[in-house]
Amino acid sequence: MNEQVKPVRSIGKHVPMVDGPEKVSGRAQYTADIAAPGALAGRIFRSPYAHGEIVAVDTSEAEKLPGVVAVVTGADCDVTFGVLPIAYSEHPMARDKVRYKGEPVAAVAAIDEATAKEAIRRIKLTVKELPAYFHAQDALAEDAVDLHETRPGNVERDVFYELGDVDEALGAADLVLERDYFCPEVCQAQMEFHAAVADYDPVRERMTVHASTQVPFYVHIQLARVLGMSRSQIRVVKPFVAGGFGCRTETLNVELISALLAKKAGGKVRTVVNREETFITHRGRPETEIRLKMGMTKTGKITGVECETYQRGGAHSGYGVVTILYAGSMIYAIYDIADVRYIGKRVLTNTPPCGAFRGHGTVNVRFAFESLLDEMAGELGLDPFAVRRANLLEAPTITENDLMINSYGLPECMDWAEDASGWNTRKGNIKSPGVGKKKGLGMACSHYISGASKPVNWTGEPHATVNIKLDHDGSVVVLSGAAEIGQGSSTILVQTVADVLGLDMGRVRVITGDSEVVPKDNGSYSSRVTFMVGNAAIEAAQNLKRVLVEAAARKLDARPDDIDVLGEVYRASSQDQGLTFDEVVAEALKDTGTITVKGNFNTIPESWGGNKYRGSAIGGTMGYSYAAQVVEVTVDEETGEVTVDKVWVAHDCGKALNRLTVEGQVEGSVWMGLGQAMSEETAYYDGLMTANNLLDYRVPTIQDSPPIITHIVESNDPNGPYGAKEAGEGSLAGFLPAVANAVADAIGVRCLDLPLTPDRVLAAIEGKSKTMKAARRRRGAR
Amino acid sequence: MDPLHDFTLLRPTTLDEMVKARRKAPSARLIGGGTDLMVNMRRGIETPQTLIDTNGVAEMASIRASTKGFEIGASATLASVGQHEKLLQYFPAIAQAANAIAGPIHRMMGTVGGNICLDTRCIFYNQSEWWRSANNDCLKTVGEMCHVAPKSKGVCFATFSGDLAPALLLYDAEIDLAGGPRKRTIPLTDLYIGYAKQDGSTGDGKNYLALKKGEFVAAVRGKNTAGLVSAYDKVRIRRSIEYPVAGVAVALKRKGDKLADLRVAVTGTNPRPVRLEGTQSLCGGPLTDDVLAGLDGLVRDQIMAMKTTFTPGMYRRRVANVLAKRMVRKLWETAGG
Amino acid sequence: MSKHIVSFTLNGRQHDGVAPDNRLLLDYLRETLGLTGTKTACDGGECGACTVLVDNQARLSCLTLVGQVDGRSVETVEGLSPGGLSPVQEGFHMKLGAQCGGCTPGFVMATEGLLRRNSDPSVEEIRDALGSNICRCTGYVKIIEAVQYAAEKMRGKAA
């Protein structure tokens, strides 16, 4: 009987998500679904002015409306919030000044939506208008009015670094090219609207907030600040969350305003903003202008790089400093480059604030970099793959800007993509499918971090803590603050713990997202969860295993070293009948009662990045993912329409703990890059966001989405949990240049502007391609 | 969620009931799939006091087609038009146009009448209440200025974007209008008055349909011409859920090596669907580059390029031209047998 | 405020209620009946998350008034399989057609509508049928696989 008992293994398999049944059956409760009997309807009044000094916010008529229970304005909260402790520049509702159209200025809580809507209509805002700036270059003009007193010249952050000697390096090149690239602003457009249910208990003076967030911990901190309450009196619960992609990687005004309303009303307020408001809340990827200059030898070796980047950051600081730093630091860590000069400006403008969008800071620069690599390869008569191969790193290594690389699967990724796509035989040889139509292949590489080694709120605590509880019922309960947002983090927790213990996943439950119950976690962003929380979960599971082994040893009168852990059976020797899991548990409970163990994870100092320039820690991580992809397109030369026919992508995730979710993440990531490259862009008219719905903001439909062939490469990172690194962001950036390179292959024309809408492609074909300057002019003129 | 304004919903089951309901409330709006009207109602753009649901009127959902002609009830869904065997066979432009509209679920909901009377569209108009008010409203609603053409005096340039209309116009379709003082039948082309002339003499993007008070489209019909082949295509940014960047319907007749008949209609560019005038003068001889250049000229003269959508107007006109020429060439070849 | 009695079959059972004429079916389901499985992700007709079945056909409940389904049969994601997962639901679960789940109920219902009229759809036909539904997580790759899984399972059951 015992010979058949084996530890159950799920690592490396295709494992459906542990919370899948809830999602497909409609039982999953998201913030807008939660039953909240008696909850008032919260609604936000938004500024129609782009920039102005607030003269008055008159809410008197709104307050008179029967059914209105509470009204709040900027006057109710003089505490700022934000992301980085050094840059809390935002008030939940504008005070003194409004800085973008749509900025929250006031809010009401009423007995129902209709009353709330009518109350909002009755609020009057008077401002003394100031000049408004909708593009980075306009906000930087000499005579521009400052949006924030603390940010003269509207510069949120000015980054400069030079490592090595760039001028010398460029001088040594056989070819030097310089190009201007333009990437419009894009939004996450996740399916779920922002929502919060804030419940204030006036008897106990406690606040509970359910929020659609990726970072319950950050929300907790900001709630305490903004409400002037002790953190101990606040509870944050994260229900099911339908996507984030970075738009909820920071505390949003929505949850803060709901809490302020709830406190004033002395009760419960549910605020669900609509799609237009979700777009306005923004925190997406900034409009970016990039000037890139590169030197290359005739064998394809990159000699030196100069990159100048302007990010139109929107009206508040948010993640701005981090985004402009990532754009610069991550020029490294993918190829063997030494000499780089980076000039980055994060600019404040009168548009909704941008944030951290999947691939944070790295995506637009990667578009420029891989496009220029390709163009230079073409001029030198070199194959694009050959050029990348001429510049490969060798792990383990430390980059010029002190970034630690211990595993590097890029070569294997490229080999696979090259082979699977038939690159060598097909490129330049694909038959045209019809009159006026041309085919092309393009490739590009990309990479991303597995969590930032230095967290935003540096408290000295471990990067991740996971608790495990085991009690009389024999179910292993994993308690983690890790925010499941659809990326599968809860499944990874169950898998890793189950795997260490050799148990079937059904024995393991995971509880996340309630600050009263689970240990705090920094949140789901920068792809940190698998690496950091996964490692913490493994440590916790090993601690639990030790307790169980000791108990089994006691009961079997053996030494712990002699115990075989077979999952459902613990045995002292092969002849021994052994104990069932439940028997071991019962024995373990005897001493201590309910067993609770903990596991931690800390990053190592070598991964913290360097200090060669201010902000150089940004980019430091425990492990980088790598990706290579090939894109096949058909271009209609007469209409400019580009069809993406197929994508081959190989992603080095160190080790695929769950092959199903890794594939899903890579496919989704590539596809999101496709959206940005092909059809997505925000648009403003006089500062009013016009593409504020899912018709005009063109998320690709199933009809626009090609087959994506995914290949997993496992470079087995020495520090990753089972060797795993991230899988959810690294592949996104590569799509943008790969498709632009494919278009160039098809029609011999380079598009330096995104997205590749037919009108832009046609303009490029006719030599009327807009450079950054002209594009700026066009966009600046509404 | 945001509640709609108060209104009464009527659900007639016969055309007669519908006419009566309409006569009682002439400004009542018809709702079929709701894929146009309901979206505008949710945005507070339209606030009708009475809605008449057309879905229960079976007699208005019939489709008849033969080699001689077609007759389609206004309540027929776009999906049923697009899948209708005889329409696909004898009037392909109409079926293709129907199949090109929005997405599959929209097509199962949307109706022929709804698409024929589709509200004109503009980035300044199809916005929320908050947005429009922050933009001082526009001419098409309660404002005083057309933001697309601020210098135009009181003329609205909102664009007609229905896909069916150009296909129907190829066949000189006529429509039955019920619900007004008298039942009448008019050429479909007379319905669309969005000429947007500067002297305001005819309609524009705001007044784009020549319907008398209470009138609604009950049916559309058209006659075939022997030997006529047709097609519809549209340029879009996305392949689904897209209004046409430009939609083109073409029908032609080839007699041996002669172009005997040529009809071209365009949507998505002007405040009305445009059946190009002057295509007959291009007929009589073979399909040469001169003929196509002539077609080019007609498009350039008659198709507008206003920036009412995200795609630059110039591109839309340009690509309408490309499509028209392509389709003419293709139909010419297939008609050649 | 104009109100009417509404009477329709909901997930196989007779349902009678009173609703204002201006009530959207989506809101009636979610707010009046507490059936929050049907989602909303746009401001009107742009995303498909609100898809339900009316008389076996997919329909956007955010553009449908509850009065319009009087006398019809309405099905929501909750009703697909009491006591377990339906083949379509199982497909979306097993093949990871659902990641965050925000679009999932809409896709499940649209897929159900497709498979009821076409039990062996080609990839082309699947794309055609799901063109009104937006997903932001999957890139649709595994959604197509989920539909194929479900189709096979349903054919197996029918056999």
Side-chain angles (χ1 to χ4, degrees):
Chain A
M1 186 263 292
N2 284 338
E3 286 72 42
Q4 283 141 357
V5 179
K6 272 198 294 254
V8 178
R9 293 266 106 96
S10 76
I11 297 292
K13 302 214 167 107
H14 284 81
V15 184
M17 293 215 211
V18 295
D19 54 4
E22 279 72 29
K23 291 180 242 181
V24 301
S25 65
R27 287 201 302 275
Q29 298 256 291
Y30 301 80
T31 306
D33 302 332
I34 299 169
L40 301 168
R43 201 176 176 111
I44 298 173
F45 171 82
R46 297 176 180 277
S47 168
Y49 302 101
H51 197 192
E53 284 161 11
I54 296 180
V55 171
V57 182
D58 181 2
T59 58
S60 54
E61 289 303 309
E63 288 172 52
K64 282 191 205 138
L65 188 63
V68 171
V69 177
V71 178
V72 293
T73 69
D76 286 280
C77 179
D78 64 355
V79 181
T80 56
F81 76 100
V83 179
L84 308 177
I86 56 165
Y88 286 165
S89 90
E90 241 175 303
H91 288 100
M93 287 159 288
R95 268 175 85 89
D96 305 325
K97 265 184 117 174
V98 291
R99 294 179 176 88
Y100 63 98
K101 292 193 183 180
E103 182 165 28
V105 171
V108 308
I111 50 166
D112 55 33
E113 298 273 359
T115 310
K117 187 174 177 180
E118 181 54 37
I120 293 296
R121 275 201 193 107
R122 294 174 182 210
I123 296 178
K124 291 187 202 34
L125 169 67
T126 320
V127 308
K128 177 166 157 254
E129 283 193 74
L130 295 167
Y133 312 104
F134 306 128
H135 295 287
Q137 302 301 333
D138 299 322
L140 290 173
E142 277 264 339
D143 57 349
V145 171
D146 291 338
L147 268 73
H148 293 268
E149 260 171 30
T150 50
R151 298 286 187 272
N154 292 320
V155 176
E156 173 64 28
R157 179 59 75 95
D158 208 326
V159 180
F160 178 85
Y161 74 71
E162 175 156 3
L163 302 177
D165 187 330
V166 176
D167 293 325
E168 190 186 306
L170 291 175
D174 292 312
L175 175 67
V176 176
L177 278 191
E178 183 176 11
R179 291 285 178 265
D180 291 306
Y181 299 87
F182 185 90
C183 298
E185 180 184 88
V186 287
C187 280
Q188 288 85 344
Q190 80 294 347
M191 291 305 281
E192 185 194 5
F193 300 152
H194 297 313
V197 177
D199 190 353
Y200 184 66
D201 176 351
V203 173
R204 297 182 184 80
E205 293 182 344
R206 288 215 194 119
M207 175 74 73
T208 302
V209 175
H210 287 69
S212 58
T213 180
Q214 296 170 238
V215 288
F217 170 54
Y218 293 168
V219 171
H220 198 143
I221 297 175
Q222 300 303 330
L223 281 170
R225 274 179 61 86
V226 150
L227 296 169
M229 288 173 69
S230 160
R231 288 191 204 179
S232 66
Q233 297 302 99
I234 293 174
R235 174 183 173 205
V236 177
V237 181
K238 183 207 74 67
F240 272 86
V241 169
F245 313 112
C247 74
R248 308 162 150 154
T249 290
E250 54 186 288
T251 309
L252 300 175
N253 48 51
V254 177
E255 43 247 25
L256 297 175
I257 290 171
S258 297
L260 288 163
L261 283 170
K263 186 134 187 268
K264 201 159 195 191
K268 211 185 302 188
V269 176
R270 189 206 308 268
T271 308
V272 181
V273 300
N274 65 20
R275 177 54 65 184
E276 176 178 23
E277 293 178 281
T278 301
F279 269 109
I280 291 171
T281 308
H282 215 287
R283 322 290 153 157
R285 202 187 309 293
E287 173 181 278
T288 309
E289 302 160 83
I290 298 167
R291 179 183 62 81
L292 186 65
K293 187 170 174 181
M294 213 186 305
M296 193 180 277
T297 68
K298 56 180 184 274
T299 55
K301 186 90 183 75
I302 300 166
T303 60
V305 175
E306 179 181 81
C307 177
E308 188 175 359
T309 299
Y310 291 84
Q311 290 175 356
R312 180 187 72 183
H316 291 289
S317 307
Y319 267 103
V321 169
V322 181
T323 316
I324 195 71
L325 283 168
Y326 270 125
S329 65
M330 294 284 275
I331 291 173
Y332 287 99
I334 180 169
Y335 301 121
D336 183 22
I337 307 173
D339 307 88
V340 178
R341 182 188 297 136
Y342 175 72
I343 307 115
K345 281 201 177 51
R346 177 72 171 207
V347 184
L348 292 161
T349 52
N350 297 105
T351 49
C354 292
F357 187 170
R358 204 174 193 177
H360 199 185
T362 67
V363 176
N364 296 343
V365 169
R366 191 51 41 195
F367 165 63
F369 200 98
E370 298 285 316
S371 295
L372 189 54
L373 268 188
D374 212 66
E375 188 174 351
M376 295 178 81
E379 270 212 40
L380 293 169
L382 297 168
D383 175 73
F385 275 97
V387 165
R388 273 75 174 181
R389 288 188 178 115
N391 292 286
L392 292 174
L393 290 164
E394 245 186 72
T397 187
I398 309 278
T399 65
E400 198 64 32
N401 59 341
D402 300 319
L403 302 179
M404 174 186 90
I405 301 171
N406 286 327
S407 61
Y408 183 71
L410 188 60
E412 200 186 319
C413 290
M414 286 202 292
D415 290 345
W416 179 87
E418 186 181 32
D419 188 54
S421 63
W423 178 273
N424 288 316
T425 47
R426 299 180 68 227
K427 188 164 188 289
N429 291 326
I430 311 175
K431 214 175 82 163
S432 157
V435 175
K437 300 205 162 111
K438 295 255 171 74
K439 299 273 294 180
L441 287 180
M443 66 81 69
C445 298
S446 52
H447 65 318
Y448 200 64
I449 62 173
S450 307
S453 276
K454 270 199 166 159
V456 160
N457 295 288
W458 182 240
T459 56
E461 290 169 60
H463 276 261
T465 298
V466 170
N467 290 352
I468 302 182
K469 172 180 90 91
L470 177 51
D471 208 343
H472 67 93
D473 63 345
S475 71
V476 177
V477 180
V478 180
L479 300 150
S480 165
E484 168 68 67
I485 53 169
Q487 87 284 43
S489 58
S490 291
T491 304
I492 294 299
L493 287 174
V494 171
Q495 277 188 265
T496 46
V497 170
D499 203 80
V500 168
L501 297 169
L503 294 169
D504 182 84
M505 283 171 67
R507 270 265 196 203
V508 181
R509 268 186 256 318
V510 60
I511 295 184
T512 68
D514 185 341
S515 66
E516 265 185 2
V517 177
V518 303
K520 141 241 183 196
D521 186 71
N522 286 327
S524 291
Y525 61 96
S526 301
S527 291
R528 57 176 288 283
V529 174
T530 294
F531 203 108
M532 300 190 181
V533 186
N535 266 326
I538 289 170
E539 181 173 282
Q542 283 164 345
N543 288 337
L544 178 60
K545 193 172 170 181
R546 202 168 300 122
V547 168
L548 294 173
V549 163
E550 276 164 13
R554 264 201 319 272
K555 185 89 179 191
L556 294 172
D557 201 23
R559 292 174 317 160
D561 280 345
D562 297 328
I563 300 293
D564 280 334
V565 176
L566 301 170
E568 288 293 333
V569 168
Y570 283 58
R571 217 168 48 189
S573 72
S574 56
Q575 276 77 40
D576 171 29
Q577 175 92 343
L579 299 167
T580 65
F581 184 77
D582 289 325
E583 287 170 331
V584 177
V585 171
E587 178 63 32
L589 289 172
K590 280 185 187 158
D591 273 339
T592 60
T594 307
I595 302 160
T596 56
V597 297
K598 187 170 69 172
N600 286 332
F601 172 77
N602 276 299
T603 58
I604 59 179
E606 295 91 311
S607 74
W608 293 350
N611 49 17
K612 286 187 173 139
Y613 59 89
R614 184 175 168 229
S616 61
I618 294 297
T621 185
M622 293 294 290
Y624 298 91
S625 67
Y626 294 95
Q629 54 196 285
V630 171
V631 176
E632 180 171 325
V633 300
T634 303
V635 183
D636 185 325
E637 283 187 297
E638 285 186 290
T639 63
E641 282 168 298
V642 177
T643 306
V644 181
D645 299 311
K646 203 164 180 181
V647 185
W648 296 264
V649 57
H651 183 106
D652 166 25
C653 63
K655 166 86 187 166
L657 302 183
N658 182 333
R659 295 188 83 85
L660 188 64
T661 53
V662 166
E663 284 168 10
Q665 283 295 301
V666 173
E667 288 157 7
S669 187
V670 166
W671 172 87
M672 204 163 241
L674 185 154
Q676 181 177 350
M678 304 309 295
S679 57
E680 290 177 39
E681 58 181 320
T682 63
Y684 295 86
Y685 176 74
D686 204 24
L688 258 183
M689 206 177 184
T690 44
N692 51 30
N693 56 75
L694 290 182
L695 181 68
D696 294 313
Y697 187 83
R698 290 179 160 84
V699 169
T701 67
I702 195 170
Q703 302 266 9
D704 304 293
S705 306
I708 300 172
I709 316 297
T710 305
H711 176 74
I712 295 172
V713 167
E714 294 179 319
S715 62
N716 295 305
D717 190 271
N719 294 308
Y722 295 95
K725 299 182 288 188
E726 79 88 32
E729 294 187 73
S731 296
L732 192 155
F735 185 89
L736 284 65
V739 74
N741 293 339
V743 170
D745 182 48
I747 57 175
V749 170
R750 292 227 158 246
C751 296
L752 309 179
D753 265 20
L754 292 178
L756 303 181
T757 51
D759 56 298
R760 283 184 181 84
V761 174
L762 201 58
I765 288 172
E766 299 182 332
K768 298 183 193 133
S769 182
K770 308 284 192 268
T771 61
M772 186 185 73
K773 265 196 194 137
R776 216 186 306 135
R777 223 180 294 125
R778 183 185 65 216
R779 287 171 230 279
R782 296 159 187 201
Chain B
M1 219 175 46
D2 240 15
L4 293 168
H5 67 284
D6 270 343
F7 56 80
T8 303
L9 175 68
L10 302 174
R11 306 192 65 226
T13 52
T14 65
L15 181 52
D16 223 37
E17 280 177 24
M18 221 170 108
V19 170
K20 283 201 181 88
R22 195 57 186 271
R23 291 230 171 88
K24 253 172 117 179
S27 58
R29 295 296 303 272
L30 266 50
I31 184 145
T35 49
D36 184 33
L37 178 61
M38 191 57 74
V39 178
N40 282 355
M41 280 171 59
R42 286 187 54 182
R43 282 198 163 123
I45 294 171
E46 306 256 26
T47 51
Q49 295 307 298
T50 308
L51 284 190
I52 302 174
D53 183 3
T54 66
N55 288 296
V57 182
E59 60 198 280
M60 262 179 50
S62 64
I63 304 175
R64 279 198 295 272
S66 71
T67 180
K68 295 213 184 80
F70 63 86
E71 182 171 303
I72 307 171
S75 282
T77 65
L78 302 169
S80 62
V81 169
Q83 287 154 23
H84 196 274
E85 223 183 278
K86 297 253 162 63
L87 285 176
L88 281 161
Q89 188 177 6
Y90 301 120
F91 303 95
I94 297 176
Q96 287 167 14
N99 284 327
I101 297 170
I105 301 178
H106 299 84
R107 294 193 288 272
M108 288 192 279
M109 296 166 72
T111 63
V112 168
N115 198 261
I116 286 175
C117 298
L118 196 73
D119 195 8
T120 54
R121 302 185 60 81
C122 178
I123 47 174
F124 297 101
Y125 171 73
N126 296 97
Q127 297 287 359
S128 69
E129 196 180 305
W130 172 80
W131 196 104
R132 285 179 285 117
S133 135
N135 194 44
N136 295 316
D137 293 299
C138 80
L139 192 60
K140 192 162 148 105
T141 55
V142 300
E144 292 175 358
M145 186 173 82
C146 171
H147 297 278
V148 172
K151 295 206 185 102
S152 78
K153 297 176 192 64
V155 178
C156 166
F157 286 92
T159 304
F160 182 82
S161 314
D163 293 275
L164 274 186
L168 294 167
L169 287 174
L170 294 179
Y171 297 96
D172 299 315
E174 57 179 27
I175 45 175
D176 291 339
L177 297 173
R182 233 179 45 255
K183 193 165 166 211
R184 59 188 185 121
T185 299
I186 62 168
L188 178 63
T189 191
D190 288 354
L191 178 67
Y192 298 114
I193 54 170
Y195 288 90
K197 294 208 172 111
Q198 278 304 296
D199 61 5
S201 60
T202 53
D204 57 359
K206 181 171 179 168
N207 299 308
Y208 62 101
L209 295 177
L211 290 173
K212 296 205 174 109
K213 199 161 172 90
E215 276 186 333
F216 61 88
V217 176
V220 60
R221 75 178 64 78
K223 284 203 204 51
N224 204 355
T225 303
L228 202 65
V229 291
S230 72
Y232 177 83
D233 200 0
K234 78 199 236 191
V235 172
R236 351 146 175 251
I237 314 292
R238 293 189 302 181
R239 301 294 194 272
S240 194
I241 324 179
E242 284 276 281
Y243 286 99
V245 166
V248 179
V250 175
L252 61 79
K253 182 168 168 177
R254 178 175 179 170
K255 264 198 176 137
D257 219 29
K258 271 208 216 145
L259 182 62
D261 196 343
L262 177 62
R263 311 169 189 191
V264 179
V266 180
T267 186
T269 56
N270 298 39
R272 65 186 177 99
V274 180
R275 163 99 181 250
L276 292 181
E277 282 172 29
T279 52
Q280 293 310 117
S281 65
L282 300 172
C283 298
L287 183 66
T288 61
D289 282 343
D290 278 344
V291 171
L292 293 172
L295 182 57
D296 225 17
L298 295 180
V299 169
R300 243 180 280 128
D301 284 338
Q302 297 174 44
I303 300 302
M304 282 183 187
M306 307 298 290
K307 197 170 189 328
T308 53
T309 68
F310 288 95
T311 315
M314 293 300 284
Y315 174 78
R316 278 163 41 201
R317 178 164 67 193
R318 172 73 183 278
V319 91
N321 229 334
V322 171
L323 265 199
K325 285 189 286 193
R326 256 193 201 167
M327 289 165 72
V328 168
R329 274 198 217 101
K330 188 152 182 225
L331 286 171
W332 171 262
E333 272 159 42
T334 42
Chain C
M1 163 157 302
S2 187
K3 287 194 180 115
H4 279 96
I5 293 175
V6 289
S7 214
F8 55 93
T9 318
L10 177 60
N11 294 328
R13 286 210 188 95
Q14 181 61 30
H15 173 78
D16 301 299
V18 177
D21 283 9
N22 69 353
R23 199 89 159 116
L24 292 173
L25 177 59
L26 174 67
D27 291 339
Y28 189 78
L29 292 169
R30 286 179 54 85
E31 292 167 25
T32 308
L33 301 183
L35 293 172
T36 56
T38 307
K39 305 299 177 201
T40 170
C42 75
D43 294 338
E46 298 164 348
C47 73
C50 68
T51 306
V52 296
L53 292 180
V54 177
D55 290 346
N56 285 304
Q57 263 198 356
R59 197 172 176 101
L60 301 177
S61 62
C62 79
L63 299 181
T64 304
L65 296 167
V66 63
Q68 289 181 290
V69 301
D70 190 48
R72 320 274 287 273
S73 109
V74 176
E75 289 171 82
T76 68
V77 67
E78 291 95 336
L80 275 195
S81 189
L85 297 181
S86 72
V88 174
Q89 290 169 325
E90 192 182 306
F92 274 81
H93 170 52
M94 296 301 293
K95 290 308 218 174
L96 208 69
Q99 285 190 28
C100 80
C103 72
T104 304
F107 267 99
V108 164
M109 299 316 285
T111 301
E112 184 71 31
L114 165 67
L115 296 180
R116 284 184 191 180
R117 61 170 193 272
N118 180 350
S119 61
D120 193 5
S122 63
V123 171
E124 206 47 56
E125 286 169 326
I126 294 173
R127 287 175 182 280
D128 279 342
L130 299 180
S132 292
N133 294 77
I134 301 285
C135 173
R136 200 50 171 154
C137 292
T138 64
Y140 309 102
V141 179
K142 291 193 186 313
I143 285 179
I144 293 173
E145 291 171 25
V147 176
Q148 290 167 326
Y149 176 107
E152 200 181 309
K153 183 131 198 211
M154 279 166 83
R155 287 196 304 273
K157 270 193 179 159

